[in-house]
Amino acid sequence: MNQRLDHHTLEKYENIWFGIATVMALFLFVTVLASFFSGTYPSLTGEGGHHITGVKNGRLNPKNFAATPFATPGLRQNADGTYEAFVVARAFQFEPAVLKVPVGKPITIHVTSADVLHGYFIEGTNINTTAIPGQVSSFTTTFRRPGTLNVICNEYCGTGHHNMINGVKVEVQEP
Ligand code: CUA
């Protein structure tokens, strides 16, 4: 009698755990899908769901930034209050040399290269993308703490590669 009861109880627990595992798997799947469609998933070919003037399907002419926001690299706030930053990598520096961003705000960063392949790695974060001539790499991130972070080129790009270090300055905004 006891044994039958135990068996029954075990089966019940098994079902509960199976249910929890299913819910967790579903949750993960939906989260990944949602981040993919909302553009927070790093993308090398898209524009993070944003339209950029002069950029078509994430492609642009690296010899002519004039018609794109990359002509004036840096942070800007859109009419809807969202933040976008445009960064140009070229041998052997990033433009702007120091990207100033507000703390605690989602920022979509678009990176491209004016010449050869460069890396874009922000020290102390998991931000690590590639600056490709003719393409825009876009991702959205939120910097949680004020301070200065090093931006490092981690793709070999020539003689000045080892000195290709600039910064991101995360600032507290005045109210
Ligand atoms: Cu740019 Cu290495």
Side-chain angles (χ1 to χ4, degrees):
M1 189 66 186
N2 243 336
Q3 281 213 328
R4 281 191 69 189
L5 251 177
D6 281 346
H7 180 73
H8 190 76
T9 315
L10 265 174
E11 216 170 51
K12 219 164 118 188
Y13 275 121
E14 251 171 32
N15 281 335
I16 290 168
W17 280 112
F18 182 74
I20 289 171
T22 309
V23 168
M24 278 169 78
L26 268 175
F27 180 75
L28 200 73
F29 180 70
V30 168
T31 311
V32 168
L33 265 188
S35 71
F36 186 79
F37 284 112
S38 70
T40 54
Y41 196 80
S43 157
L44 287 178
T45 51
E47 292 153 35
H50 296 244
H51 175 74
I52 307 172
T53 312
V55 177
K56 268 197 186 130
N57 300 322
R59 306 197 69 88
L60 78 173
N61 180 357
K63 299 260 179 281
N64 182 21
F65 288 149
T68 75
F70 291 101
T72 50
L75 183 81
R76 64 209 62 199
Q77 190 171 20
N78 297 319
D80 63 359
T82 59
Y83 287 95
E84 273 184 292
F86 294 87
V87 174
V88 176
R90 67 171 83 226
F92 297 100
Q93 62 177 332
F94 296 99
E95 299 163 3
V98 177
L99 176 64
K100 291 180 180 175
V101 296
V103 71
K105 297 270 165 50
I107 296 152
T108 300
I109 300 180
H110 308 283
V111 184
T112 193
S113 168
D115 40 42
V116 296
L117 202 73
H118 296 278
Y120 187 85
F121 169 62
I122 302 182
E123 209 173 38
T125 72
N126 62 357
I127 296 164
N128 187 3
T129 188
T130 313
I132 305 164
Q135 272 192 38
V136 179
S137 307
S138 303
F139 58 90
T140 301
T141 190
T142 303
F143 295 93
R144 299 288 176 193
R145 264 174 295 200
T148 303
L149 300 162
N150 284 331
V151 177
I152 298 161
C153 175
N154 56 359
E155 286 281 346
Y156 185 75
C157 54
T159 52
H161 163 71
H162 299 285
N163 297 319
M164 196 165 164
I165 301 171
N166 286 120
V168 166
K169 192 168 186 214
V170 187
E171 298 177 315
V172 179
Q173 272 184 316
E174 303 301 325

